[in-house]
Amino acid sequence: MSGDATEQDKDELNNLLQQHPELMQQYDMLHQLWSVNSSAYEEPAADDKINRILQLAAAESAVKQDVAPVVRIKKWRKLYWAAAAITAIIAGSWLFAVWHKKHNELAANEVIAPKGSKTRTILPDGSTVWLNAGSRIVYANFSGPVREITLEGEAYFDVVHVENATTHQRKPFVVHAGSIDIKVLGTAFNVKSYPDEKTIETTLIRGLVQITRKGDKSGKPVYLHPNEKIVLPVNSSDAGIAKNPASTASSQTAQHIIRIDSTVKDNEHLETAWVYNRLEFRGDNFEQLALKLERWYNIRIYFEDDAARQLVFNGSLQTETVEQAFMALKEAVHFDVSISNNEVFIKSTK
């Protein structure tokens, strides 16, 4: 079949097949497998090829049981094992081809922004993602009907419109962040979902997003419009959503949608300042601010008393070093600080 046999080899093989016609079926199956090997990367014929391989295996079993004692020609044994080897190569090549194709379709890609750094990446569809410090995303190759990403940490997405080649409809873009799913068609938005924080925040800059709780079949989806932010507790036991933060006074963990200032430029929004290399904080106590500082500078902060945790800060950091940052914080609110390598120890002055 490969064209390497001499005329004498062919004559001997034909004579053997004439002497043992029951082996013709095996030969025909091998010939069919050989002929389809060139199209092994085509998905539609996968089931058919598997059936042929199984049929060949059954035929080999029957040959060994029924005719093996009759065939005693040394030359035929060589040809028989050569045919078996070729069959194994063909079957193995096809199986590897199918596995390789599936592996490429399902293989996950991971992008990580370590603590102390930020990163920007272009997704397979042309969308752009900025990752804040201490964040990671995982995604496949977007070859299916939905573009899906899993986020841990904080990211700013600028999503492009993509059409499904079959339906010519826009292909949804879905971000899985903690206990929520965010579905968009084409938009720019920020998501903050760090595992060590009690809330998940989504801020929409432009476009439209749909937010749903994972596993919440009874709850209705929430839609965010431009210049809106939603704050969701990580614990989904409280599913109420309010348009006005004042209406949630009875529950500190209630979800609510907040309007952000539409007159502010994109690079001046508090929620997306980190994209422009600014760490903004408004009304954060020291414990909340410490989480941001740890990610921003890749440090560890230790509090030596509870009073220090409750100190409140408002401000902005951009190009300051660790030492400069804590000296600036000390000017605003008095506390004692000790820095050793990447460890910072905080103590109140009371």
Side-chain angles (χ1 to χ4, degrees):
M1 294 178 194
S2 65
D4 296 330
T6 64
E7 292 300 320
Q8 182 180 356
D9 291 334
K10 294 178 183 179
D11 290 340
E12 289 185 86
L13 177 59
N14 288 332
N15 290 334
L16 286 170
L17 293 175
Q18 290 175 5
Q19 295 173 16
H20 306 282
E22 66 274 11
L23 299 181
M24 183 61 73
Q25 182 182 8
Q26 181 181 358
Y27 177 84
D28 288 340
M29 290 179 182
L30 182 60
H31 192 277
Q32 291 178 34
L33 280 172
W34 184 273
S35 64
V36 302
N37 187 49
S38 60
S39 59
Y41 284 86
E42 296 178 5
E43 181 73 9
D47 291 339
D48 184 50
K49 293 169 188 172
I50 291 176
N51 290 334
R52 288 175 181 171
I53 292 174
L54 295 176
Q55 291 171 2
L56 179 59
E60 287 179 347
S61 177
V63 168
K64 290 178 181 179
Q65 292 178 6
D66 298 334
V67 302
V70 179
V71 180
R72 302 181 184 277
I73 303 176
K74 187 176 182 180
K75 181 68 174 179
W76 165 246
R77 289 179 179 175
K78 292 181 179 179
L79 291 173
Y80 177 85
W81 288 112
I86 292 172
T87 303
I89 292 172
I90 295 171
S93 299
W94 174 79
L95 290 173
F96 176 79
V98 173
W99 172 87
H100 188 266
K101 182 175 185 294
K102 289 294 184 183
H103 178 75
N104 286 339
E105 290 178 353
L106 300 177
N109 302 283
E110 183 180 55
V111 180
I112 298 175
K115 291 182 178 180
S117 67
K118 294 176 289 296
T119 188
R120 173 178 175 268
T121 188
I122 305 296
L123 299 175
D125 64 345
S127 298
T128 305
V129 181
W130 288 262
L131 283 180
N132 203 350
S135 304
R136 64 188 285 268
I137 56 172
V138 178
Y139 62 93
N141 293 327
F142 291 1
S143 58
V146 179
R147 299 171 285 171
E148 293 186 272
I149 281 186
T150 299
L151 166 68
E152 182 180 288
E154 185 169 16
Y156 179 84
F157 297 88
D158 195 345
V159 182
V160 300
H161 295 285
V162 174
E163 283 191 355
N164 189 303
T166 304
T167 63
H168 299 290
Q169 295 179 343
R170 288 179 180 177
K171 184 182 288 191
F173 188 102
V174 177
V175 178
H176 305 288
S179 60
I180 67 170
D181 295 328
I182 305 165
K183 181 179 180 181
V184 305
L185 294 175
T187 189
F189 63 103
N190 190 81
V191 181
K192 185 167 70 169
S193 177
Y194 284 106
D196 55 358
E197 295 193 0
K198 298 179 180 179
T199 60
I200 302 173
E201 296 183 8
T202 303
T203 304
L204 182 63
I205 304 302
R206 62 178 182 272
L208 180 71
V209 298
Q210 172 188 292
I211 300 174
T212 56
R213 282 280 189 186
K214 291 180 179 178
D216 184 9
K217 298 180 180 179
S218 59
K220 294 182 179 180
V222 178
Y223 292 91
L224 281 188
H225 298 85
N227 300 306
E228 287 186 342
K229 177 174 74 172
I230 188 169
V231 180
L232 306 168
V234 172
N235 186 349
S236 61
S237 60
D238 184 354
I241 296 177
K243 273 286 186 180
N244 187 344
S247 66
T248 65
S250 62
S251 175
Q252 295 181 351
T253 60
Q255 309 165 13
H256 56 265
I257 295 176
I258 303 170
R259 289 289 304 176
I260 61 177
D261 191 351
S262 60
T263 63
V264 175
K265 296 180 181 179
D266 285 356
N267 62 352
E268 296 178 356
H269 282 299
L270 178 68
E271 292 77 12
T272 56
W274 66 269
V275 178
Y276 304 94
N277 203 35
R278 296 195 322 276
L279 176 61
E280 300 274 358
F281 41 96
R282 299 289 185 273
D284 290 6
N285 64 40
F286 217 155
E287 190 169 24
Q288 294 170 327
L289 179 58
L291 294 175
K292 299 177 180 179
L293 292 171
E294 287 181 336
R295 293 190 290 260
W296 193 263
Y297 289 109
N298 190 22
I299 57 176
R300 289 295 306 273
I301 298 177
Y302 301 93
F303 293 99
E304 298 185 6
D305 57 70
D306 290 336
R309 299 174 187 270
Q310 304 307 318
L311 299 176
V312 178
F313 296 86
N314 291 282
S316 174
L317 296 171
Q318 190 164 3
T319 59
E320 291 83 358
T321 64
V322 174
E323 291 78 8
Q324 291 171 341
F326 279 94
M327 291 305 104
L329 293 173
K330 278 188 64 175
E331 290 294 323
V333 179
H334 297 297
F335 60 90
D336 292 330
V337 59
S338 173
I339 302 175
S340 176
N341 296 323
N342 66 333
E343 294 184 326
V344 180
F345 299 88
I346 305 295
K347 182 172 65 174
S348 68
T349 56
K350 294 181 180 181

